[in-house]
Amino acid sequence: MSVQERKERERAERERLIVATARELAEQQGWDAVTTRRLAERIEYSQPVLYSHFRGKREIIGAVALEGATELAAALRAATSAADGPRARVAALARAYLDFAARNPAVYDAIFQLDGGLAYAREDTPAPLKDAFAALMESLAEVAGDGVDPGLFTETFWASLHGLATLTRTNRLLPDYAEPRVELLVDRLAVL
């Protein structure tokens, strides 16, 4: 291995460590606790080393969002691949999405709530974000209904899921209705 290859590998490892540490700290204490100073202390590198990878917290949030979007897409595809039929796929997708949001609140916020400097719903949207949307649309396009744009339907269904995830997390909804909400969403929005 050349010196250049070793340096590139070490740089990539440091970057993964920064992102993983930011994510861990955010999940434990919230995004307000994530500062370059605290990250530098935790990973035992100087702040200038962090700044050689990321210009600041905003870019770190963006990196966590991209990593999280990749994980969300994988979770959605895994859940829907095991389901039999359109209704079962859409219900599995909804449950997997809500489960991801509940299990990874800081990552979910990085993807959908915080400013990570990423473009959404544009041509220059990063590939992991496009892929997460594609993972939603793969199951939702088949239940959009005649004459309904699959992308528009996916956005609307996704917005409903996002609302449920956000309201559930902030204890604005009755816990006993979690599963009936998914069933109602699937039965009323999807054309089955």
Side-chain angles (χ1 to χ4, degrees):
M1 173 183 303
S2 74
V3 172
Q4 181 64 27
E5 289 172 328
R6 183 181 51 79
K7 286 183 179 185
E8 287 174 14
R9 188 186 76 229
E10 288 171 355
R11 179 171 177 75
E13 286 172 10
R14 270 193 314 272
E15 199 163 293
R16 279 191 296 276
L17 178 61
I18 293 165
V19 171
T21 304
R23 185 175 172 163
E24 179 183 318
L25 187 57
E27 291 292 0
Q28 291 171 353
Q29 299 176 31
W31 279 103
D32 287 342
V34 179
T35 64
T36 53
R37 184 171 161 237
R38 288 183 92 185
L39 286 173
E41 289 171 2
R42 282 207 174 191
I43 65 171
E44 298 178 347
Y45 282 103
S46 68
Q47 282 182 287
V49 170
L50 262 75
Y51 285 116
S52 74
H53 291 273
F54 300 100
R55 285 182 278 182
K57 182 176 176 177
R58 181 179 186 220
E59 284 189 2
I60 294 169
I61 290 170
V64 170
L66 294 176
E67 185 177 273
T70 299
E71 293 169 10
L72 175 60
L76 296 176
R77 286 187 176 110
T80 57
S81 71
D84 186 31
R87 187 191 189 291
R89 273 191 293 282
V90 174
L93 174 121
R95 288 184 194 102
Y97 183 96
L98 295 170
D99 183 57
F100 181 89
R103 285 185 298 104
N104 305 284
V107 173
Y108 188 84
D109 284 349
I111 301 169
F112 298 117
Q113 307 273 84
L114 301 174
D115 179 8
L118 304 173
Y120 286 79
R122 295 191 338 214
E123 202 167 299
D124 61 337
T125 298
L129 298 178
K130 286 181 179 179
D131 189 50
F133 187 79
L136 288 166
M137 198 157 74
E138 287 163 10
S139 292
L140 295 173
E142 68 181 322
V143 298
D146 292 337
V148 177
D149 179 87
L152 172 62
F153 182 78
T154 300
E155 285 181 347
T156 303
F157 199 93
W158 168 35
S160 298
L161 289 174
H162 177 69
L164 289 175
T166 303
L167 292 169
T168 299
R169 190 165 113 206
T170 56
N171 299 311
R172 303 305 199 270
L173 301 175
L174 293 171
D176 294 346
Y177 289 159
E179 184 57 27
R181 270 188 220 98
V182 168
E183 296 298 320
L184 182 62
L185 181 64
V186 171
D187 289 339
R188 295 298 168 104
L189 281 183
V191 177
L192 303 168

